Structure formats: C-alpha cells, structure tokens
Amino acid sequence: MAAILGGGLGGLSTGYYLLKNNLNSNNNLKLYLLEATNYCGGWIKSIRTKDYVFEQGPRTIRPKGVTGLNTLNMIQDLGLSEHISPIKPDHPAARNRMIYVNNNLYLLPSSLKGVFQKNEPFSKPLIYALYHDLKKPHKQLKDDSIYNFVERRFGKEIADYAISPMICGICAGDAKEISVKFLMKTLFEWEQTHGGVVKGLMKSLFSSKTGNELVLSDLARKAQEEKWSVYTIKGGLEMFPNKLQAHLKDNNVTMNLSTKVEAIEFVDSGSVSLNIQTGEKLSVNHVYSSIPAYCLASLVQKQHPELAKTLKDIPFVTVGIVNLYFATQKPLIKPAFGFLVPPIENSPILGVVFDSCCMPDQNGTVLTVMLGGRWFEEKFGKNTTSENLYNIAVKEAN
Ligand SMILES: Cc1cc2nc3c(=O)[nH]c(=O)nc-3n(C[C@H](O)[C@H](O)[C@H](O)COP(=O)(O)OP(=O)(O)OC[C@H]3O[C@@H](n4cnc5c(N)ncnc54)[C@H](O)[C@@H]3O)c2cc1C
C-alpha cells in the first residue's frame, strides 16, 4: 500500500506514473491519495463563463525538453489532445513580451535582428552582453545566485531588466536569492567548464548529442515539429487535473478529499503511519509527498526535528492573483503575452498577463495581475484583504 500526500498536479501525476509502473510490472499496489481540501488541482483553478476563462493559477505549459514532451505524452494518453491550444513562434503572445520600466512599456527583442539594435531600457544593443560574456574571465564557484551569475556574464542591465523580471514571472522570487544551479544549471556548467556561456553554447552545438530515449506521442511530435512556444487548454487548465483525477478513480486509486494529514510516523523500515485530522490513522508501506515543504515540515517535526528544520528553510512565497474582465468590442491591450515588472522598480505587482491574447475563445479584454511574491508581506502586510489587492491591481493595470 502506498499513499500520496496532496492532490495538486504533483500528487495527481505521481499517481498517474505509479499506476503506469504498476500496470507495466503487473504489481497490485493499492494506492491512496490524500488531499486536505475538497478539490483536486492545487494551484490550478479555472473559472469559466460564456465570455471568458479566468485562470487563478497557471495558464500556459512549456512543451520543451524531455519533461515538456513527457507531459504532452501524458496529455494525449488522458484524451486531452483536441483541447490543446498551442502558441506557435509567430503568435504575438510568443513574440511580444514586455517589461515595465519608469512608467513605460518596452518590448523585449525576439529576433536575431533585434539583438543588434538598441532597445530601451537597455543602453546598448544586446549583442554587447554576449561580447561581455566572451571577454569576462570565469570564476571557479560551487554555486551562485542567478543575479550574480547573470551580472558577471552579461552585465548589470541584463540582470536587472531581463533576468530578474523573468524570475518573478517563473517563481515570483528574487533572482538575488535563488541558486543559479537550481534554475539555470546548464548555463552555469558552461561557465564553469568552458569559461563562458557563449563558449559553452558553441561547444554544445558541435558535440554529439546523447540520444533521448523518450518515445514521443503524436501530440509531442507535433509540438516539436511546429516548435510550439507554450500551450494552453481550451476551456481552462483545470481540465488537466480533472482528467487526471478521473483517470486515478477509474483505476481504483482511493481518492480521499477533505483529508488533511497531520503527522507522519515512520514505524519501521517497511511501514509508515499517517495521522489524519479526523483522528483516523492510515498504515501504508510507502509515502509520496507533493505538499509544500513547510507543510511537510510540520508533519515530520515530532520524529525528525532536523529534517523538519531543513524543510522549513526552503522558502515559500505568496502570490496575489486578480483577474480583470473588460467587456469591450476592441481589445484594450497590445497583442502580447503581457509584461513583467523588474524588482528594481519597487512595484507592488510582479506583472500582468494579457489572457485574451494568449487564450482562445475570450471575448472582451481579460488580464491577470500578479502581486507580491517574494515581497508580499513587505508590500501588503500580514493581513491584507482581497479588496485591497483588487484596488491595487486595478490602479497598477491602468
Ligand atoms: C500564480 C501562479 C501562476 C503559475 N503559472 C504557471 C504557468 O503558467 N505555467 C507553469 O508551468 N507553472 C505555473 N505555476 C506553477 C504551478 O502552478 C505549480 O508548479 C504547480 O501547480 C504545483 O503543483 P503541486 O502539486 O506541486 O503543488 P500544489 O498545487 O500547491 O498542490 C499541493 C496540494 O497539497 C495539498 N496539501 C497541503 N498540505 C496537505 C496536508 N497536510 N495533507 C493533505 N494535503 C495537503 C494542498 O491542499 C494542495 O492541493 C504557477 C504558480 C502560481 C502560484
């Protein structure tokens, strides 16, 4: 018997792959999924009306790399292929990404030609950043912050206006605090091994590629051939966890919603006891956790205080999400993915996504404003209200 803690996309996917391995190896492993709330999907939540879809968490998925292609295999297997809406390289949402600096929106270059031109707020064409990387001697390091790495290799402007806002867009965090090895491992390894990113890139282009053993589904092959930038799901991303949940149920996984696990007790090398909030206990042989690290910390605190401390040290940030809908005939926004705000601007918002440009079947103008992240408490205090966040979002989106 095995239990999966958490019914977000992480927990549901764990269930999907455990089932797959189970079926492939003819095991008869009994699976339980325990989710604290009455909903499976975690951060993924879509609100659908006839005119628009509001995404309250993620909205686009990257198809690139082995993990991206593997996800597309899973999506096809779940029967979701016809609901996929790709954003291809010539789509405005793929080409046009902006940053907000000094009360102005600036388009980031998206073509080779743009790299040779001067694009505000950068003081020089971006090609100079590549030159900077080529001439800068490399420094032997075990790890570094993303900000320090980018500043060293490409200069301060790239660190402030390109990479720091990008990190806010990916994980609502501060590039000065996040490990480069965690999010940009290949680039860091190129610096450490070859003396710079451009040098590493050149060498990798000429080195023989190790074969990728992943068998691609039709959908994954199509994404590769058509060079999708990202994709969304028509009708809302929530369809993805909904389908996964149904798949697990159909394959006899016991789905326990409204079941908060309060403690994990490792009894011996083969059994674990889970204490549920209701007072019940569940005894299993394996536990897979997909809950946030700080939540898991409190579950193991009593038996493993050292582990709990390490888990608590993993930062967790809060993002405020405000979806806005304007019932206009013409779009109120430029055709683009949206804009990000560099932390150096000291704004309460991290960025705005232009949903009506990225997602199909949206009438009017739909925007999502993301607020706070790493700076949430600093900007809004500990007890802010939804109304306060809404007012700030409307003011900033204007
Ligand atoms: C605003 C926002 C926008 C994002 N946009 C994108 C995007 O566009 N593209 C993208 O790829 N990624 C995006 N992400 C990231 C993506 O949403 C997450 O990586 C993903 O949803 C995390 O899934 P998870 O299952 O790991 O965690 P979660 O979704 O947090 O799920 C964890 C689950 O565990 C449950 N739980 C917690 N404690 C317990 C307990 N004690 N017992 C039982 N259950 C418990 C919770 O209720 C929750 O359901 C975004 C994230 C945010 C916040």
Side-chain angles (χ1 to χ4, degrees):
M1 285 210 298
I4 301 161
L5 309 189
L9 198 58
L12 293 168
S13 314
T14 305
Y16 172 88
Y17 287 111
L18 284 172
L19 267 180
K20 215 174 168 134
N21 288 346
N22 233 356
L23 295 175
N24 287 346
S25 53
N26 272 329
N27 275 345
N28 205 9
L29 180 71
K30 174 70 197 146
L31 281 177
Y32 291 85
L33 187 142
L34 313 174
E35 162 56 44
T37 66
N38 63 0
Y39 166 81
C40 267
W43 261 104
I44 303 178
K45 279 199 183 91
S46 317
I47 299 172
R48 269 166 280 179
T49 75
K50 72 176 181 23
D51 287 324
Y52 56 82
V53 176
F54 280 165
E55 292 289 8
Q56 300 204 301
R59 65 217 55 235
T60 52
I61 307 178
R62 269 172 61 82
K64 307 253 164 73
V66 180
T67 46
L69 293 167
N70 205 28
T71 305
L72 283 164
N73 282 358
M74 185 208 276
I75 283 179
Q76 174 165 325
D77 188 36
L78 292 171
L80 277 172
S81 299
E82 64 186 280
H83 299 281
I84 297 301
S85 169
I87 297 181
K88 298 182 192 170
D90 57 348
H91 191 283
R95 281 189 286 114
N96 303 336
R97 286 167 189 261
M98 297 182 281
I99 52 169
Y100 186 72
V101 176
N102 284 332
N103 301 320
N104 282 307
L105 283 176
Y106 297 105
L107 206 57
L108 290 169
S110 62
S111 66
L112 189 62
K113 195 172 142 210
V115 175
F116 290 93
Q117 292 166 341
K118 184 171 156 316
N119 303 281
E120 280 190 87
F122 302 98
S123 60
K124 291 178 192 161
L126 292 184
I127 187 74
Y128 279 92
L130 303 183
Y131 176 64
H132 189 278
D133 173 60
L134 277 171
K135 74 175 177 33
K136 190 88 183 165
H138 103 287
K139 202 172 164 187
Q140 204 67 44
L141 291 168
K142 285 215 165 75
D143 197 358
D144 206 350
S145 73
I146 293 177
Y147 186 94
N148 282 350
F149 169 76
V150 174
E151 186 185 23
R152 177 170 69 251
R153 299 289 2 136
F154 303 109
K156 184 167 162 43
E157 281 189 352
I158 303 289
D160 281 332
Y161 296 126
I163 299 301
S164 294
M166 188 185 96
I167 297 301
C168 289
I170 296 174
C171 50
D174 188 348
K176 291 184 174 166
E177 294 169 358
I178 299 174
S179 145
V180 65
K181 260 170 108 172
F182 167 60
L183 273 184
M184 297 179 168
K185 191 164 178 251
T186 308
L187 304 194
F188 182 66
E189 281 173 1
W190 283 346
E191 181 200 41
Q192 294 300 307
T193 320
H194 304 296
V197 175
V198 177
K199 286 178 196 160
L201 174 68
M202 298 316 256
K203 291 221 166 106
S204 80
L205 290 178
F206 294 108
S207 64
S208 59
K209 301 227 171 7
T210 48
N212 164 13
E213 280 159 27
L214 187 70
V215 179
L216 297 186
S217 60
D218 292 344
L219 189 67
R221 207 168 306 116
K222 192 167 176 221
Q224 229 177 18
E225 281 163 12
E226 295 178 358
K227 299 188 166 56
W228 296 0
S229 168
V230 287
Y231 60 93
T232 61
I233 298 184
K234 285 176 222 158
L237 213 68
E238 199 174 282
M239 217 178 262
F240 191 7
N242 286 352
K243 271 275 182 187
L244 268 170
Q245 184 180 0
H247 174 81
L248 297 191
K249 259 194 196 159
D250 290 348
N251 285 282
N252 303 322
V253 177
T254 305
M255 306 290 287
N256 290 320
L257 301 191
S258 306
T259 305
K260 187 172 180 198
V261 179
E262 288 201 319
I264 302 176
E265 199 188 321
F266 298 91
V267 182
D268 55 41
S269 61
S271 66
V272 188
S273 172
L274 302 174
N275 294 359
I276 318 287
Q277 198 177 29
T278 51
E280 290 160 88
K281 283 187 187 236
L282 178 68
S283 187
V284 292
N285 310 104
H286 301 276
V287 181
Y288 298 85
S289 172
S290 74
I291 66 178
Y294 78 93
C295 298
L296 183 61
S298 63
L299 270 59
V300 296
Q301 173 72 44
K302 202 167 158 204
Q303 205 179 29
H304 295 286
E306 277 299 308
L307 172 63
K309 190 180 168 310
T310 308
L311 287 167
K312 262 188 213 143
D313 285 345
I314 299 174
F316 185 85
V317 300
T318 303
V319 185
I321 298 290
V322 177
N323 300 114
L324 299 172
Y325 171 71
F326 302 89
T328 53
Q329 287 287 328
K330 279 192 180 164
L332 292 175
I333 45 165
K334 285 185 188 169
F337 187 84
F339 67 85
L340 289 166
V341 188
I344 199 171
E345 289 292 299
N346 205 14
S347 165
I349 69 167
L350 301 166
V352 178
V353 183
F354 296 177
D355 292 314
S356 36
C357 177
C358 308
M359 299 189 311
D361 310 326
Q362 304 272 62
N363 294 320
T365 300
V366 185
L367 306 175
T368 299
V369 186
M370 305 204 180
L371 304 98
R374 157 70 181 81
W375 302 271
F376 194 92
E377 241 181 79
E378 194 179 306
K379 301 284 179 201
F380 313 118
K382 277 193 174 150
N383 302 309
T384 190
T385 58
S386 304
E387 196 187 354
N388 184 34
L389 294 181
Y390 168 78
N391 289 336
I392 295 169
V394 171
K395 183 167 163 265
E396 296 291 326
N398 278 325

